[in-house]
Amino acid sequence: MKNNPKTLLYILMLASLGINTPLSIVGIISLISTHFNTTIAVSGLYVSSFTFTIAVCGLFIPVLFSRFERKTTFISILSVFAISNLVIVFSDSLYLSLFFRILSAVFYPAFISIALTVCEEIAPEGEEQDYITKILLGISIGSIVGLPITTGLGTVLGYEIAMLWIFLINLLSLILILLFFPKIDGKAKSYEMPLSKLRSKEFIIASIAIILMPIGASIVYNYMPYFLQTVCNIHTYKLSILLFAYGLISIVGTWIGGKLIVYKDKATLLIFQLVCGFVFVLMYLFARHLISILILFMVFGVLDGMGYNLIQYIEDSVLSRTPELANGIFLSILNGGIAIGTAIGGFLVNDFGVMSIFIGGAAFLVMAFIMLFYAIFNLKISLKYS
C-alpha cells in the first residue's frame, strides 16, 4: 500500500492542504486586529508576511532541498509548521507570532515544490498533469476551503480556536507522512541555476505577466469577506457558508483549469484574464444587487481555482529541465502576487473604500493579458502542450 502511487499522491495532497491553511487567516483579519490591538492595515501586513516570505524563499529554498531524501524533508518541514502554529495559538505577542509565521513560510516552498516534483515522478505515463492538478487542488483547498472554516471558527469560538484547527491539520499531515510515506532518494546534487534562461527576455516577460494575475485576484479575494460584511450585510454563519461554497466551486475550477490547459493552453491563458477582469467590473456595477453578487462570486471561485494551474503551467514550460526550480518560482510568483495584492487591497480599502478593490483587481488583470499576449505571440515562449 505504501508504494501505491495513488496512496502517495493523496497523502501529499492532504499535506499540501495542511501547510496551506495558514493562508486562510485572511478571513479573520478583524479578529487579528482585535487580538493584537492593531489596525486593519497592520493585520493585513501580518497576514501577507507568510506569502511574502514564500515569494522570496521560493527562488532558492527548493533547489537547496532537492538533494535530500524526500520523506525526511517532508517530516522536518511539517514539524516546523506544527510547532510554529502551536506557538501562535497561545501567543499574545504580535512579534513572536510574526516570527513563527515567517519561520514556517521559509520552508513552505521546499515542501510544495518537491511534492509537485515527486507526484510527477510517480505518476503513471500520461497522467502527470492529473497528478500535478491534484497537488494544486490540495493547495487550493487549504487556502480557499480553509478560509470559511477559519472564519467560522474564529467568528463563533474566537481567534485561538481558529488557530488551533490550523495546528491540528498540520499535525495530522505529519502523522500520515510518518506512518505511510516511503523513503525516496533526492537528487544526487542540487540543480545549478540556469542563469542564461533566467535572464532571458521570454522568462522575464512571462513571469511579470503571470505575477499580475495573483495580484489582481488577491486584491479582490482577500477583501471579499469584508465587502460581503460591510456592503451586502452578510455576517456570521451565512458568511462562512458562502465562503465554503466558494471554496468548493474553486476546487472544480482547479480541475477544469488542468483539463483546459491540456486541450487549449494558449486560449485558456489569455481568455482567463479577460473573463476574470470582466467579472470584477460586473461586481462593481452590481454591488448592491445581492443575487447578482452571489452568482458573480461563484464564477470568480471557478476562475480563482483555475489560476493555480495556469501559473504553474507557464513556469513548468519555461523551465522544464529544472522542475524544483520551476515549481519554486511558481510558488514565489503565486505568493508574491498574493502578498502584493493583499497589501494593495488593504491600502485601497483604507484610502478609497472597499468598492475600489474591484477596479484595482480588473486593472491588474488587463495588464496581465497584455503582457501574456506579447509573451505568447511576439516572443513565442514554448508551452508544454502547444
Side-chain angles (χ1 to χ4, degrees):
M1 184 183 83
K2 291 183 179 181
N3 294 319
N4 185 303
K6 287 286 185 183
T7 301
L8 303 186
L9 172 64
Y10 287 116
I11 291 174
L12 288 177
M13 183 179 173
L14 179 63
S16 299
L17 182 159
I19 72 166
N20 226 54
T21 49
L23 288 170
S24 66
I25 68 170
V26 69
I28 56 169
I29 283 180
S30 59
L31 288 177
I32 293 169
S33 178
T34 302
H35 182 78
F36 293 120
N37 192 26
T38 188
T39 65
I40 290 291
V42 171
S43 298
L45 292 173
Y46 171 79
V47 170
S48 65
S49 66
F50 189 82
T51 50
F52 179 76
T53 303
I54 295 171
V56 174
C57 294
L59 298 173
F60 60 92
I61 290 292
V63 175
L64 295 177
F65 275 80
S66 64
R67 71 176 67 187
F68 300 122
E69 194 272 318
R70 308 309 199 187
K71 181 174 182 176
T72 302
T73 297
F74 291 151
I75 290 172
S76 300
I77 294 172
L78 288 171
S79 298
V80 170
F81 265 78
I83 293 169
S84 296
N85 285 303
L86 186 61
V87 171
I88 290 172
V89 169
F90 297 104
S91 174
D92 293 325
S93 168
L94 175 65
Y95 298 107
L96 182 63
S97 297
L98 180 63
F99 171 79
F100 279 99
R101 185 166 172 80
I102 290 174
L103 176 65
S104 57
V106 167
F107 299 101
Y108 174 102
F111 187 98
I112 296 296
S113 175
I114 293 172
L116 285 166
T117 301
V118 168
C119 79
E120 191 170 9
E121 291 172 349
I122 65 174
E125 187 174 354
E127 296 183 34
E128 292 85 358
Q129 188 61 45
D130 286 339
Y131 272 55
I132 289 172
T133 296
K134 285 186 172 63
I135 298 298
L136 297 176
L137 279 171
I139 298 173
S140 176
I141 293 169
S143 58
I144 298 176
V145 176
L147 175 61
I149 296 174
T150 304
T151 302
L153 289 173
T155 301
V156 177
L157 300 175
Y159 169 83
E160 289 83 359
I161 300 301
M163 302 311 298
L164 182 62
W165 109 268
I166 294 175
F167 159 72
L168 291 174
I169 193 69
N170 279 277
L171 181 63
L172 175 61
S173 302
L174 174 60
I175 292 171
L176 288 175
I177 292 285
L178 277 167
L179 294 178
F180 299 113
F181 209 86
K183 289 185 177 295
I184 300 176
D185 292 334
K187 303 293 181 183
K189 63 177 182 177
S190 295
Y191 290 113
E192 294 180 0
M193 288 286 188
L195 296 179
S196 60
K197 192 71 174 178
L198 296 177
R199 288 195 295 258
S200 69
K201 187 176 181 180
E202 293 82 0
F203 172 79
I204 293 171
I205 296 297
S207 295
I208 292 173
I210 57 176
I211 197 173
L212 294 170
M213 292 166 53
I215 291 175
S218 64
I219 286 174
V220 175
Y221 167 71
N222 286 333
Y223 293 91
M224 208 54 203
Y226 187 66
F227 165 80
L228 293 171
Q229 289 171 324
T230 57
V231 177
C232 299
N233 295 312
I234 299 175
H235 301 280
T236 59
Y237 72 93
K238 292 180 181 178
L239 178 61
S240 294
I241 292 171
L242 180 58
L243 293 174
F244 185 72
Y246 173 93
L248 294 178
I249 290 291
S250 72
I251 295 171
V252 176
T254 303
W255 179 80
I256 291 173
K259 297 298 182 182
L260 288 177
I261 282 173
V262 176
Y263 179 63
K264 290 284 185 181
D265 53 1
K266 290 179 182 178
T268 301
L269 289 167
L270 292 172
I271 293 173
F272 171 87
Q273 324 298 328
L274 297 178
V275 173
C276 195
F278 184 61
V279 167
F280 291 166
V281 172
L282 291 178
M283 283 182 167
Y284 179 85
L285 295 174
F286 293 96
R288 303 292 175 179
H289 301 270
L290 182 58
I291 300 301
S292 298
I293 282 295
L294 295 181
I295 293 171
L296 290 168
F297 188 42
M298 293 302 113
V299 174
F300 175 42
V302 174
L303 296 168
D304 194 20
M306 289 176 61
Y308 290 92
N309 267 297
L310 305 186
I311 298 171
Q312 193 274 340
Y313 174 68
I314 291 177
E315 290 303 331
D316 192 37
S317 295
V318 175
L319 298 172
S320 57
R321 294 185 179 181
T322 52
E324 277 95 348
L325 178 61
N327 291 323
I329 292 176
F330 150 65
L331 292 170
S332 292
I333 286 174
L334 175 63
N335 289 279
I338 292 172
I340 295 169
T342 302
I344 292 174
F347 288 111
L348 285 174
V349 171
N350 277 345
D351 295 341
F352 302 103
V354 71
M355 294 298 296
S356 64
I357 62 176
F358 301 117
I359 301 302
F364 275 95
L365 287 168
V366 169
M367 290 189 285
F369 169 80
I370 294 170
M371 297 287 287
L372 202 53
F373 186 92
Y374 177 75
I376 291 174
F377 291 104
N378 287 68
L379 300 180
K380 301 187 184 301
I381 61 171
S382 60
L383 297 173
K384 191 161 46 171
Y385 297 121
S386 290

